[in-house]
C-alpha cells in the first residue's frame, strides 16, 4: 500500500499525472487500507501462549473408594490453547481422569500432575489415600445450629484433631512458611499492596487466595467477619483444656460443640502467645485500612473479632454451607 502511494507521488513529480488525479487515487488507496484494517487485515489473530497452570489444591487426603475433582487454572485467561493433560505417578494408589477427577484406590501416596499442551507448564497435587471409607481427611465439620446454617470444621487447617494447633497462614496466602513479615508477604508491603489494596474493589478473599479452599477444595472457605460475629453472638464460650491444650469450647444453639485451641500467632520467625491467645483469620479485608484484615481473637477472659496486619501468621478454621 505504501509503495503504491509513493509511486503516485513520483508520477506527479515527473509530470506524468496531475496532482488532482494522484490525490484521488491516494484517497482510494487509503480507504482500501482502512477497510483492510477494520476487517483484521485479512490475516489471522496472533496466538497467545500459556504462561502458567495452577491447581486449586496442592495437597489432598482421601479415604479409599472416594473421589474429588481438582481444578486447573491456565494463565493467561486469553491463552489460545488451554488444554491440559492429567497424570498420576501411582495409579495403584490414586487415578485421575481427563477432567481432573481423582479416585482413591488403596492406601499410600500418589502425585497428580497437570501439564499444559501449550508450553508444557505443570502443577502438582500430592494425594494421600488412607484406609477406610467415610470422607476426606480433615474435612469433618460440626453443624452448631447457627441461624445461617453455616458449618464449622472440627479442627484448624493443618490439624488432625481439635486440640492440635494446625498450620499458620498470612492473610491471603495458601501455604505455611518460616517467616511472617511484610518482607515475605505475597501481596507486597503495607504501603504498596498489589491486591486487596483498597482501590481494586476486592474486599473478600478469592478462592485462589483462600487457604481453606486451596487445601480442602470448595465449598470449604474461610469465614467472613459477619460469620465470625454470628459465632460470637449465638454460642456459649467456655474456657477449658483439651488434651492438655487451653482453648474455648464453643457451644452452638443446638448443643453441639467445637473446640478452638489457643494456638498463638507467628510474627517474623517467632511463635508467640501459645496456650494463652488464639487467632483465626476471616476472609474479610478491613476496608478502612487495607493493610489490615479481620480475625477472631480470644484469651481466657475475652473473645471478639479484631483487625491485624495481613502479614501475621494466624490459624484458619474453615467453614462451609
Amino acid at each position: 500500500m505504501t509503495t503504491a502511494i509513493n509511486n503516485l507521488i513520483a508520477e506527479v513529480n515527473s509530470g506524468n499525472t496531475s496532482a488532482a488525479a494522484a490525490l484521488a487515487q491516494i484517497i482510494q488507496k487509503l480507504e482500501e487500507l482502512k477497510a483492510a484494517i477494520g476487517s483484521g487485515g485479512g490475516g489471522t489473530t496472533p496466538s497467545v501462549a500459556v504462561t502458567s497452570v495452577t491447581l486449586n489444591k496442592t495437597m489432598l487426603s482421601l479415604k479409599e473408594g472416594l473421589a474429588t475433582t481438582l481444578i486447573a487454572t491456565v494463565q493467561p485467561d486469553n491463552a489460545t490453547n488451554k488444554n491440559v493433560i492429567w497424570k498420576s505417578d501411582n495409579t495403584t494408589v490414586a487415578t485421575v481422569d481427563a477432567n481432573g477427577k481423582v479416585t482413591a484406590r488403596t492406601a499410600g501416596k500418589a502425585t497428580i500432575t497437570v501439564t499444559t499442551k501449550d508450553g508444557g507448564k505443570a502443577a502438582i497435587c500430592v494425594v494421600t489415600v488412607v484406609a477406610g471409607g467415610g470422607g476426606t481427611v480433615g474435612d469433618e465439620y460440626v453443624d452448631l445450629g447457627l441461624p445461617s446454617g453455616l458449618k464449622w470444621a472440627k479442627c484448624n487447617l493443618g490439624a488432625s484433631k481439635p486440640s492440635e494447633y494446625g498450620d499458620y497462614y498470612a492473610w491471603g496466602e495458601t501455604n505455611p512458611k518460616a517467616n511472617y513479615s511484610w518482607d515475605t508477604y505475597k501481596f507486597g508491603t503495607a504501603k504498596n499492596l498489589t491486591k486487596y489494596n483498597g482501590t481494586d474493589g476486592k474486599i473478600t478473599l478469592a478462592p485462589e487466595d483462600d487457604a481453606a479452599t486451596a487445601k480442602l477444595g470448595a465449598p470449604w472457605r474461610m469465614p467472613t467477619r459477619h460469620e465470625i460475629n454470628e459465632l460470637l453472638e449465638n454460642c456459649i464460650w467456655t474456657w477449658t483444656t483439651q488434651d492438655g491444650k487451653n482453648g474455648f469450647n464453643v457451644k452452638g444453639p443446638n448443643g453441639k460443640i467445637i473446640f478452638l485451641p489457643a494456638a498463638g500467632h507467628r510474627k517474623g520467625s517467632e511463635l508467640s502467645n501459645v496456650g494463652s491467645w488464639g487467632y483465626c483469620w476471616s476472609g474479610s479485608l478491613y476496608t478502612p485500612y487495607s493493610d489490615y484484615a479481620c480475625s477472631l481473637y480470644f484469651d481466657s477472659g475475652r473473645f471478639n473479632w479484631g483487625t491485624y496486619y495481613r502479614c501475621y501468621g494466624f490459624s484458619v478454621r474453615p467453614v462451609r454451607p
Side-chain angles (χ1 to χ4, degrees):
M1 185 67 72
T2 302
T3 301
I5 292 173
N6 288 336
N7 288 340
L8 287 169
I9 294 172
E11 288 290 317
V12 172
N13 290 336
S14 65
N16 293 332
T17 187
S18 70
L23 181 59
Q25 292 184 60
I26 290 173
I27 291 173
Q28 180 182 351
K29 295 294 183 183
L30 290 174
E31 289 296 328
E32 293 173 0
L33 178 60
K34 179 181 177 182
I37 293 173
S39 63
T44 59
T45 303
S47 62
V48 178
V50 169
T51 58
S52 67
V53 62
T54 56
L55 288 171
N56 63 319
K57 301 179 188 178
T58 56
M59 295 184 293
L60 172 66
S61 294
L62 283 173
K63 292 183 180 178
E64 289 176 340
L66 298 181
T68 191
T69 299
L70 295 173
I71 300 172
T73 302
V74 177
Q75 294 291 344
D77 288 338
N78 63 337
T80 303
N81 181 358
K82 301 178 78 171
N83 293 325
V84 297
I85 300 170
W86 296 89
K87 183 179 179 181
S88 169
D89 73 342
N90 191 345
T91 55
T92 301
V93 172
T95 57
V96 61
D97 68 13
N99 297 313
K101 181 180 179 181
V102 178
T103 302
R105 301 298 182 185
T106 58
K109 286 186 179 291
T111 299
I112 305 298
T113 303
V114 61
T115 306
T116 63
K117 288 188 176 181
D118 176 19
K121 307 297 182 180
I124 66 169
C125 176
V126 178
V127 178
T128 301
V129 178
V130 296
T136 58
V137 176
D139 74 350
E140 292 86 356
Y141 61 82
V142 178
D143 182 353
L144 295 168
L146 296 170
S148 68
L150 193 72
K151 284 84 172 174
W152 286 74
K154 286 184 178 179
C155 309
N156 284 348
L157 194 61
S160 60
K161 60 180 181 178
S163 59
E164 289 185 359
Y165 296 143
D167 295 322
Y168 300 82
Y169 297 86
W171 191 83
E173 296 187 353
T174 56
N175 287 301
K177 56 186 181 181
N179 190 331
Y180 293 80
S181 68
W182 289 117
D183 290 338
T184 63
Y185 187 55
K186 177 180 178 180
F187 297 119
T189 64
K191 296 185 181 300
N192 186 26
L193 291 162
T194 60
K195 194 173 183 181
Y196 310 101
N197 53 24
T199 61
D200 59 10
K202 301 178 186 298
I203 60 174
T204 303
L205 288 175
E208 64 269 20
D209 301 321
D210 185 307
T213 307
K215 297 301 184 186
L216 301 177
W220 286 104
R221 57 176 174 80
M222 292 159 64
T224 66
R225 180 183 70 79
H226 296 293
E227 289 165 342
I228 286 177
N229 210 45
E230 180 185 50
L231 191 74
L232 293 167
E233 293 180 350
N234 290 275
C235 296
I236 299 171
W237 292 62
T238 305
W239 186 257
T240 187
T241 301
Q242 187 174 125
D243 298 330
K245 305 288 179 63
N246 293 332
F248 267 105
N249 272 343
V250 182
K251 185 177 181 180
N254 63 5
K256 294 184 178 179
I257 293 173
I258 59 171
F259 178 72
L260 296 175
H265 76 285
R266 289 193 175 275
K267 180 181 178 183
S269 59
E270 299 296 321
L271 176 60
S272 304
N273 299 324
V274 174
S276 56
W277 284 85
Y279 307 84
C280 294
W281 280 126
S282 78
S284 301
L285 185 70
Y286 183 57
T287 50
Y289 301 99
S290 57
D291 50 343
Y292 287 79
C294 301
S295 169
L296 169 68
Y297 75 88
F298 56 86
D299 70 357
S300 60
R302 77 198 94 178
F303 43 92
N304 208 333
W305 69 270
T307 60
Y308 300 89
Y309 275 141
R310 291 160 49 169
C311 63
Y312 289 173
F314 286 179
S315 303
V316 169
R317 181 58 67 99
V319 298
R320 61 175 295 159

